[in-house]
Amino acid sequence: MLSALIFAPLLGALLVGLLPAGVNGKFSRSLALGVASFTCVWSVVLASQFNPGEVSQQFTEFLPWIDVLGLNYNLGVDGLSLPLLVLNGLLTAIAIYSSDESLQRPRFYYSLILILSAGVNGAFLAQDLLLFFLFYELELIPLYLLIAIWGGARRGYAATKFLIYTAVSGILILASFLGLVWLSDAGSFALASINAKSLPLATQLLLLGGILIGFGIKMPLVPLHTWLPDAHVEASTPISVLLAGVLLKLGTYGLLRFGMNLLPEAWGYLAPWLAVWAVVSVLYGSSCAIAQTDMKKMVAYSSIGHMGYVLLAAAAATPLSTLGAVMQMISHGLISALMFLLVGVVYKKAGSRDLNVIRGLLNPERGLPVIGSLMVLGVMASAGTPGMVGFISEFIVFRGSFAVFPVQTLISMIGTGLTAVYFLILLNRAFFGRLSEPVINLPRVYWSDRAPAIILAMLIVIFGIQPTWLVRWTEPTLTAMVNVENPIATVSLDKPKSKS
């Protein structure tokens, strides 16, 4: 069942790529969409067969591969990876559906998106450190090409910057993984065989440092973030949807799976510093978003701030905060995908994303009233309005983290207020007021342009009203993953108590 999520997109990419040159782009798009839809439906079928009460890996697949290296084809899924698989399937289908039918080299374009989806699925399913790294690197080249070929005017610069940052990320992650296996005498790269608790604390801290920086680039966290705004601005709308909605989650997933889970003692010692790092990312990302006049760049910087919430929750390492981290990953994936889709429609119809140029798009007769209404909903969800999935995810993060890091949590909550500020600036400038002259005659928006955004908006409201539909899949796994005794509390027990 799990291999289908990897090989179906790869086979689809091969089929699309081998289509005759005379086949039009519409057929290539339809074939790719069919494969992506199958993968999405298959992930939902997998979820329907998943047992939430079982905390171990389910539907496991094992096949010996390269015995000399200790590398095996080892797959499994649990409550941490399952919702991310479904999210990847959904957003891949939406990205293909939202792609322009008249784009150049469509066979190559859709093949790259399907390879990208296969790599992400493989990374979420891998139960072998080296296998995870192979899938983690597999998504690098397709995304680089998708930005470099179909991006904006500065696409070469943005794609190269992304490639360099992600290559450094991969080097650090691989070095840390090799250190974990060799120094712990694991004998193989299987996750179940890694026992890093026997290593000296200094060694654990060194290995964890490589994991933190490597996955911190992918999230990204300040000051490792500078590739992200450029990549988003130059990437096409569908690629921005995948980049923000799915690919950033590889970084947060890696921190939880390989940092907090494998090196809990070192994680506990660094946790206070990680919480401070989270605060810096939240405030910096939110502050930079306020200063932007490009709508897409504003949404890009908002992602940096919202990823800081995930780091704060992971640093606290309580069952509730870790649950909040996963909820935040899912909610950010849905909300950011919605926002980028809507910004893409505005740019397609109005010809600009500049807040100094466009104005009054909520005009019911000559503007974009439905798109504007969906944008209002997206802003409310991102700012944590009750009834939206953004509220419940941030509430769980703050509630779970406050007991461990009360000061850092309170400061991070300022980021929620700043989110409301910069997105209200976006709404006020672009959608309210009198329709500006440069966008006075807008082309018609068809329901085909609105459908993906409407689907995401419905999910944002549904999961906001009924969050247990998400929580039930992940809570048992995360509770078992986190130590019974909080690692930070464990570290504090070793310190001499002051006399009162």
PDB file of all heavy atoms in Angstrom, residues 45-69:
ATOM      1  N   VAL A  45      -7.529   6.401   1.313  1.00  0.00           N
ATOM      2  CA  VAL A  45      -7.829   4.986   1.575  1.00  0.00           C
ATOM      3  C   VAL A  45      -6.899   4.444   2.651  1.00  0.00           C
ATOM      4  O   VAL A  45      -7.325   3.707   3.556  1.00  0.00           O
ATOM      5  CB  VAL A  45      -7.702   4.171   0.278  1.00  0.00           C
ATOM      6  CG1 VAL A  45      -7.805   2.674   0.565  1.00  0.00           C
ATOM      7  CG2 VAL A  45      -8.764   4.587  -0.723  1.00  0.00           C
ATOM      8  N   LEU A  46      -5.636   4.816   2.573  1.00  0.00           N
ATOM      9  CA  LEU A  46      -4.666   4.401   3.590  1.00  0.00           C
ATOM     10  C   LEU A  46      -5.095   4.900   4.966  1.00  0.00           C
ATOM     11  O   LEU A  46      -5.023   4.167   5.962  1.00  0.00           O
ATOM     12  CB  LEU A  46      -3.287   4.946   3.225  1.00  0.00           C
ATOM     13  CG  LEU A  46      -2.101   4.464   4.065  1.00  0.00           C
ATOM     14  CD1 LEU A  46      -1.762   3.034   3.716  1.00  0.00           C
ATOM     15  CD2 LEU A  46      -0.883   5.356   3.806  1.00  0.00           C
ATOM     16  N   ALA A  47      -5.550   6.146   5.024  1.00  0.00           N
ATOM     17  CA  ALA A  47      -6.002   6.701   6.297  1.00  0.00           C
ATOM     18  C   ALA A  47      -7.224   5.964   6.826  1.00  0.00           C
ATOM     19  O   ALA A  47      -7.379   5.778   8.043  1.00  0.00           O
ATOM     20  CB  ALA A  47      -6.314   8.193   6.132  1.00  0.00           C
ATOM     21  N   SER A  48      -8.110   5.537   5.927  1.00  0.00           N
ATOM     22  CA  SER A  48      -9.307   4.822   6.361  1.00  0.00           C
ATOM     23  C   SER A  48      -8.969   3.459   6.951  1.00  0.00           C
ATOM     24  O   SER A  48      -9.721   2.923   7.773  1.00  0.00           O
ATOM     25  CB  SER A  48     -10.271   4.664   5.189  1.00  0.00           C
ATOM     26  OG  SER A  48      -9.747   3.792   4.201  1.00  0.00           O
ATOM     27  N   GLN A  49      -7.850   2.864   6.529  1.00  0.00           N
ATOM     28  CA  GLN A  49      -7.421   1.570   7.057  1.00  0.00           C
ATOM     29  C   GLN A  49      -6.467   1.706   8.244  1.00  0.00           C
ATOM     30  O   GLN A  49      -6.098   0.706   8.856  1.00  0.00           O
ATOM     31  CB  GLN A  49      -6.718   0.779   5.947  1.00  0.00           C
ATOM     32  CG  GLN A  49      -7.565   0.545   4.711  1.00  0.00           C
ATOM     33  CD  GLN A  49      -8.771  -0.323   4.986  1.00  0.00           C
ATOM     34  OE1 GLN A  49      -8.694  -1.289   5.734  1.00  0.00           O
ATOM     35  NE2 GLN A  49      -9.909   0.036   4.402  1.00  0.00           N
ATOM     36  N   PHE A  50      -6.085   2.930   8.559  1.00  0.00           N
ATOM     37  CA  PHE A  50      -5.109   3.178   9.623  1.00  0.00           C
ATOM     38  C   PHE A  50      -5.767   3.024  10.983  1.00  0.00           C
ATOM     39  O   PHE A  50      -6.901   3.458  11.198  1.00  0.00           O
ATOM     40  CB  PHE A  50      -4.544   4.596   9.463  1.00  0.00           C
ATOM     41  CG  PHE A  50      -3.452   4.947  10.428  1.00  0.00           C
ATOM     42  CD1 PHE A  50      -2.148   4.553  10.191  1.00  0.00           C
ATOM     43  CD2 PHE A  50      -3.723   5.682  11.569  1.00  0.00           C
ATOM     44  CE1 PHE A  50      -1.135   4.893  11.069  1.00  0.00           C
ATOM     45  CE2 PHE A  50      -2.724   6.029  12.453  1.00  0.00           C
ATOM     46  CZ  PHE A  50      -1.423   5.625  12.208  1.00  0.00           C
ATOM     47  N   ASN A  51      -5.053   2.416  11.924  1.00  0.00           N
ATOM     48  CA  ASN A  51      -5.545   2.241  13.290  1.00  0.00           C
ATOM     49  C   ASN A  51      -4.933   3.311  14.182  1.00  0.00           C
ATOM     50  O   ASN A  51      -3.765   3.214  14.546  1.00  0.00           O
ATOM     51  CB  ASN A  51      -5.187   0.860  13.817  1.00  0.00           C
ATOM     52  CG  ASN A  51      -5.689   0.631  15.234  1.00  0.00           C
ATOM     53  OD1 ASN A  51      -6.474   1.425  15.768  1.00  0.00           O
ATOM     54  ND2 ASN A  51      -5.254  -0.448  15.854  1.00  0.00           N
ATOM     55  N   PRO A  52      -5.693   4.355  14.540  1.00  0.00           N
ATOM     56  CA  PRO A  52      -5.109   5.453  15.331  1.00  0.00           C
ATOM     57  C   PRO A  52      -4.598   5.018  16.698  1.00  0.00           C
ATOM     58  O   PRO A  52      -3.692   5.640  17.252  1.00  0.00           O
ATOM     59  CB  PRO A  52      -6.280   6.442  15.472  1.00  0.00           C
ATOM     60  CG  PRO A  52      -7.238   6.079  14.389  1.00  0.00           C
ATOM     61  CD  PRO A  52      -7.098   4.612  14.204  1.00  0.00           C
ATOM     62  N   GLY A  53      -5.163   3.967  17.257  1.00  0.00           N
ATOM     63  CA  GLY A  53      -4.747   3.538  18.587  1.00  0.00           C
ATOM     64  C   GLY A  53      -3.420   2.816  18.618  1.00  0.00           C
ATOM     65  O   GLY A  53      -2.844   2.629  19.685  1.00  0.00           O
ATOM     66  N   GLU A  54      -2.905   2.408  17.470  1.00  0.00           N
ATOM     67  CA  GLU A  54      -1.631   1.708  17.392  1.00  0.00           C
ATOM     68  C   GLU A  54      -0.520   2.713  17.127  1.00  0.00           C
ATOM     69  O   GLU A  54      -0.532   3.406  16.114  1.00  0.00           O
ATOM     70  CB  GLU A  54      -1.669   0.657  16.278  1.00  0.00           C
ATOM     71  CG  GLU A  54      -0.413  -0.189  16.206  1.00  0.00           C
ATOM     72  CD  GLU A  54      -0.502  -1.234  15.108  1.00  0.00           C
ATOM     73  OE1 GLU A  54      -1.635  -1.525  14.671  1.00  0.00           O
ATOM     74  OE2 GLU A  54       0.558  -1.746  14.679  1.00  0.00           O
ATOM     75  N   VAL A  55       0.434   2.786  18.049  1.00  0.00           N
ATOM     76  CA  VAL A  55       1.454   3.831  17.967  1.00  0.00           C
ATOM     77  C   VAL A  55       2.664   3.407  17.138  1.00  0.00           C
ATOM     78  O   VAL A  55       3.479   4.249  16.763  1.00  0.00           O
ATOM     79  CB  VAL A  55       1.911   4.256  19.386  1.00  0.00           C
ATOM     80  CG1 VAL A  55       0.738   4.820  20.158  1.00  0.00           C
ATOM     81  CG2 VAL A  55       2.517   3.069  20.139  1.00  0.00           C
ATOM     82  N   SER A  56       2.805   2.131  16.847  1.00  0.00           N
ATOM     83  CA  SER A  56       3.946   1.685  16.053  1.00  0.00           C
ATOM     84  C   SER A  56       3.680   1.929  14.567  1.00  0.00           C
ATOM     85  O   SER A  56       2.576   2.293  14.167  1.00  0.00           O
ATOM     86  CB  SER A  56       4.204   0.191  16.294  1.00  0.00           C
ATOM     87  OG  SER A  56       3.065  -0.568  15.940  1.00  0.00           O
ATOM     88  N   GLN A  57       4.710   1.707  13.769  1.00  0.00           N
ATOM     89  CA  GLN A  57       4.575   1.889  12.326  1.00  0.00           C
ATOM     90  C   GLN A  57       3.611   0.851  11.746  1.00  0.00           C
ATOM     91  O   GLN A  57       3.658  -0.319  12.120  1.00  0.00           O
ATOM     92  CB  GLN A  57       5.938   1.765  11.647  1.00  0.00           C
ATOM     93  CG  GLN A  57       6.939   2.826  12.060  1.00  0.00           C
ATOM     94  CD  GLN A  57       6.574   4.198  11.543  1.00  0.00           C
ATOM     95  OE1 GLN A  57       5.996   4.334  10.478  1.00  0.00           O
ATOM     96  NE2 GLN A  57       6.915   5.231  12.295  1.00  0.00           N
ATOM     97  N   GLN A  58       2.754   1.296  10.840  1.00  0.00           N
ATOM     98  CA  GLN A  58       1.757   0.414  10.245  1.00  0.00           C
ATOM     99  C   GLN A  58       2.003   0.276   8.742  1.00  0.00           C
ATOM    100  O   GLN A  58       2.676   1.102   8.130  1.00  0.00           O
ATOM    101  CB  GLN A  58       0.355   0.964  10.504  1.00  0.00           C
ATOM    102  CG  GLN A  58       0.017   1.099  11.990  1.00  0.00           C
ATOM    103  CD  GLN A  58      -1.393   1.616  12.221  1.00  0.00           C
ATOM    104  OE1 GLN A  58      -2.333   1.254  11.522  1.00  0.00           O
ATOM    105  NE2 GLN A  58      -1.547   2.464  13.242  1.00  0.00           N
ATOM    106  N   PHE A  59       1.433  -0.783   8.160  1.00  0.00           N
ATOM    107  CA  PHE A  59       1.574  -1.098   6.734  1.00  0.00           C
ATOM    108  C   PHE A  59       3.047  -1.183   6.325  1.00  0.00           C
ATOM    109  O   PHE A  59       3.416  -0.760   5.227  1.00  0.00           O
ATOM    110  CB  PHE A  59       0.857  -0.060   5.867  1.00  0.00           C
ATOM    111  CG  PHE A  59      -0.554   0.228   6.280  1.00  0.00           C
ATOM    112  CD1 PHE A  59      -0.895   1.453   6.822  1.00  0.00           C
ATOM    113  CD2 PHE A  59      -1.534  -0.727   6.135  1.00  0.00           C
ATOM    114  CE1 PHE A  59      -2.195   1.727   7.204  1.00  0.00           C
ATOM    115  CE2 PHE A  59      -2.840  -0.471   6.522  1.00  0.00           C
ATOM    116  CZ  PHE A  59      -3.177   0.752   7.052  1.00  0.00           C
ATOM    117  N   THR A  60       3.879  -1.685   7.214  1.00  0.00           N
ATOM    118  CA  THR A  60       5.321  -1.673   6.972  1.00  0.00           C
ATOM    119  C   THR A  60       5.693  -2.537   5.768  1.00  0.00           C
ATOM    120  O   THR A  60       5.070  -3.573   5.495  1.00  0.00           O
ATOM    121  CB  THR A  60       6.084  -2.164   8.208  1.00  0.00           C
ATOM    122  OG1 THR A  60       5.590  -3.458   8.575  1.00  0.00           O
ATOM    123  CG2 THR A  60       5.890  -1.202   9.368  1.00  0.00           C
ATOM    124  N   GLU A  61       6.705  -2.095   5.053  1.00  0.00           N
ATOM    125  CA  GLU A  61       7.273  -2.833   3.930  1.00  0.00           C
ATOM    126  C   GLU A  61       8.783  -2.883   4.114  1.00  0.00           C
ATOM    127  O   GLU A  61       9.412  -1.870   4.439  1.00  0.00           O
ATOM    128  CB  GLU A  61       6.922  -2.162   2.601  1.00  0.00           C
ATOM    129  CG  GLU A  61       5.429  -2.073   2.323  1.00  0.00           C
ATOM    130  CD  GLU A  61       5.131  -1.369   1.015  1.00  0.00           C
ATOM    131  OE1 GLU A  61       6.076  -1.166   0.226  1.00  0.00           O
ATOM    132  OE2 GLU A  61       3.959  -1.002   0.786  1.00  0.00           O
ATOM    133  N   PHE A  62       9.340  -4.058   3.918  1.00  0.00           N
ATOM    134  CA  PHE A  62      10.788  -4.214   4.106  1.00  0.00           C
ATOM    135  C   PHE A  62      11.346  -5.061   2.977  1.00  0.00           C
ATOM    136  O   PHE A  62      10.810  -6.125   2.651  1.00  0.00           O
ATOM    137  CB  PHE A  62      11.096  -4.876   5.449  1.00  0.00           C
ATOM    138  CG  PHE A  62      12.566  -5.041   5.717  1.00  0.00           C
ATOM    139  CD1 PHE A  62      13.297  -4.005   6.287  1.00  0.00           C
ATOM    140  CD2 PHE A  62      13.222  -6.211   5.375  1.00  0.00           C
ATOM    141  CE1 PHE A  62      14.651  -4.140   6.522  1.00  0.00           C
ATOM    142  CE2 PHE A  62      14.580  -6.365   5.604  1.00  0.00           C
ATOM    143  CZ  PHE A  62      15.294  -5.324   6.185  1.00  0.00           C
ATOM    144  N   LEU A  63      12.418  -4.573   2.378  1.00  0.00           N
ATOM    145  CA  LEU A  63      13.090  -5.300   1.316  1.00  0.00           C
ATOM    146  C   LEU A  63      14.582  -5.016   1.416  1.00  0.00           C
ATOM    147  O   LEU A  63      14.998  -3.864   1.369  1.00  0.00           O
ATOM    148  CB  LEU A  63      12.564  -4.856  -0.058  1.00  0.00           C
ATOM    149  CG  LEU A  63      13.152  -5.572  -1.277  1.00  0.00           C
ATOM    150  CD1 LEU A  63      12.729  -7.035  -1.290  1.00  0.00           C
ATOM    151  CD2 LEU A  63      12.725  -4.878  -2.570  1.00  0.00           C
ATOM    152  N   PRO A  64      15.414  -6.057   1.595  1.00  0.00           N
ATOM    153  CA  PRO A  64      16.870  -5.834   1.628  1.00  0.00           C
ATOM    154  C   PRO A  64      17.336  -5.201   0.322  1.00  0.00           C
ATOM    155  O   PRO A  64      16.888  -5.565  -0.762  1.00  0.00           O
ATOM    156  CB  PRO A  64      17.440  -7.256   1.795  1.00  0.00           C
ATOM    157  CG  PRO A  64      16.323  -8.047   2.383  1.00  0.00           C
ATOM    158  CD  PRO A  64      15.062  -7.471   1.807  1.00  0.00           C
ATOM    159  N   TRP A  65      18.252  -4.250   0.455  1.00  0.00           N
ATOM    160  CA  TRP A  65      18.677  -3.514  -0.727  1.00  0.00           C
ATOM    161  C   TRP A  65      20.192  -3.625  -0.902  1.00  0.00           C
ATOM    162  O   TRP A  65      20.668  -4.405  -1.716  1.00  0.00           O
ATOM    163  CB  TRP A  65      18.232  -2.047  -0.605  1.00  0.00           C
ATOM    164  CG  TRP A  65      18.372  -1.257  -1.865  1.00  0.00           C
ATOM    165  CD1 TRP A  65      18.861  -1.709  -3.066  1.00  0.00           C
ATOM    166  CD2 TRP A  65      18.025   0.111  -2.070  1.00  0.00           C
ATOM    167  NE1 TRP A  65      18.840  -0.708  -4.002  1.00  0.00           N
ATOM    168  CE2 TRP A  65      18.331   0.425  -3.427  1.00  0.00           C
ATOM    169  CE3 TRP A  65      17.490   1.100  -1.261  1.00  0.00           C
ATOM    170  CZ2 TRP A  65      18.123   1.685  -3.956  1.00  0.00           C
ATOM    171  CZ3 TRP A  65      17.275   2.358  -1.789  1.00  0.00           C
ATOM    172  CH2 TRP A  65      17.579   2.645  -3.123  1.00  0.00           C
ATOM    173  N   ILE A  66      20.955  -2.872  -0.133  1.00  0.00           N
ATOM    174  CA  ILE A  66      22.416  -2.902  -0.247  1.00  0.00           C
ATOM    175  C   ILE A  66      22.963  -3.285   1.127  1.00  0.00           C
ATOM    176  O   ILE A  66      23.121  -2.437   2.024  1.00  0.00           O
ATOM    177  CB  ILE A  66      22.974  -1.534  -0.701  1.00  0.00           C
ATOM    178  CG1 ILE A  66      22.286  -1.076  -1.994  1.00  0.00           C
ATOM    179  CG2 ILE A  66      24.481  -1.618  -0.910  1.00  0.00           C
ATOM    180  CD1 ILE A  66      22.727   0.294  -2.466  1.00  0.00           C
ATOM    181  N   ASP A  67      23.256  -4.571   1.299  1.00  0.00           N
ATOM    182  CA  ASP A  67      23.682  -5.074   2.606  1.00  0.00           C
ATOM    183  C   ASP A  67      25.004  -4.471   3.054  1.00  0.00           C
ATOM    184  O   ASP A  67      25.229  -4.249   4.251  1.00  0.00           O
ATOM    185  CB  ASP A  67      23.806  -6.598   2.558  1.00  0.00           C
ATOM    186  CG  ASP A  67      22.450  -7.274   2.386  1.00  0.00           C
ATOM    187  OD1 ASP A  67      21.443  -6.656   2.796  1.00  0.00           O
ATOM    188  OD2 ASP A  67      22.402  -8.395   1.846  1.00  0.00           O
ATOM    189  N   VAL A  68      25.896  -4.206   2.113  1.00  0.00           N
ATOM    190  CA  VAL A  68      27.212  -3.664   2.475  1.00  0.00           C
ATOM    191  C   VAL A  68      27.078  -2.310   3.170  1.00  0.00           C
ATOM    192  O   VAL A  68      27.814  -2.000   4.120  1.00  0.00           O
ATOM    193  CB  VAL A  68      28.092  -3.531   1.217  1.00  0.00           C
ATOM    194  CG1 VAL A  68      29.434  -2.900   1.565  1.00  0.00           C
ATOM    195  CG2 VAL A  68      28.294  -4.891   0.571  1.00  0.00           C
ATOM    196  N   LEU A  69      26.121  -1.504   2.737  1.00  0.00           N
ATOM    197  CA  LEU A  69      25.906  -0.185   3.327  1.00  0.00           C
ATOM    198  C   LEU A  69      24.915  -0.216   4.486  1.00  0.00           C
ATOM    199  O   LEU A  69      24.750   0.792   5.175  1.00  0.00           O
ATOM    200  CB  LEU A  69      25.389   0.794   2.259  1.00  0.00           C
ATOM    201  CG  LEU A  69      26.318   1.070   1.074  1.00  0.00           C
ATOM    202  CD1 LEU A  69      25.642   2.034   0.103  1.00  0.00           C
ATOM    203  CD2 LEU A  69      27.639   1.657   1.556  1.00  0.00           C
TER     204      LEU A  69
END
